[in-house]
Amino acid sequence: MRSFEGLDEAALTALVRRFYTEVRADAELGPVFAAAVRDWDEHERRLVDFWTSSMLGSGRYRGNPAQSHLDHARRIRPELFARWLALWQRCSEDLLPPAQAAAVQERAARIGGHLQRLLAQA
């Protein structure tokens, strides 16, 4: 059985919305995202597609997250990843059962590590 059994699109949608509400209010992350995101509703829909594809296998996400982050490499300082992960952890723990929270946190940590390595080479 998967450790995130019971995780569904509604839960991921709520998590993404809560997370980006927190991101927008964050003194360090907010300005970085504000410079990159033109349409928050579209961004959140796209990230719900990403997370449902990643965690549930929906296959709806069509995009290149690596390139999206490379486009903003000058603004993304390495220490922002720790802040991003801590915020994701807090939001997921607030909204999801422990096993589901741990699963999305583990996936986010892997993604963050990959993006950090990629940006370090840019």
Side-chain angles (χ1 to χ4, degrees):
M1 181 188 317
R2 299 180 307 184
S3 63
F4 51 93
E5 196 66 38
L7 186 63
D8 61 16
E9 183 169 346
L12 288 169
T13 299
L15 175 57
V16 166
R17 287 187 178 149
R18 167 77 176 278
F19 176 72
Y20 282 107
T21 295
E22 299 281 334
V23 161
R24 291 164 80 173
D26 187 88
E28 292 187 47
L29 293 172
V32 174
F33 278 83
V37 177
R38 304 268 185 256
D39 180 340
W40 281 101
D41 290 335
E42 173 58 27
H43 182 72
E44 287 180 11
R45 278 192 295 276
R46 191 171 178 82
L47 271 289
V48 168
D49 287 350
F50 174 83
W51 282 102
T52 59
S53 292
S54 181
M55 299 303 296
L56 307 176
S58 73
R60 289 197 328 241
Y61 180 74
R62 301 284 184 255
N64 184 341
Q67 187 60 54
S68 297
H69 288 80
L70 283 170
D71 290 344
H72 303 283
R74 289 181 317 205
R75 286 192 167 98
I76 305 173
R77 300 183 324 271
E79 64 272 14
L80 292 178
F81 281 97
R83 194 169 183 93
W84 174 78
L85 284 171
L87 186 57
W88 182 257
Q89 179 178 345
R90 187 175 79 228
C91 291
S92 62
E93 287 174 354
D94 285 350
L95 295 175
L96 300 174
Q100 293 175 9
V104 297
Q105 290 166 19
E106 186 274 330
R107 186 72 47 96
R110 282 199 339 242
I111 292 165
H114 172 73
L115 291 174
Q116 276 189 289
R117 289 186 297 278
L118 182 69
L119 291 172
Q121 298 170 2

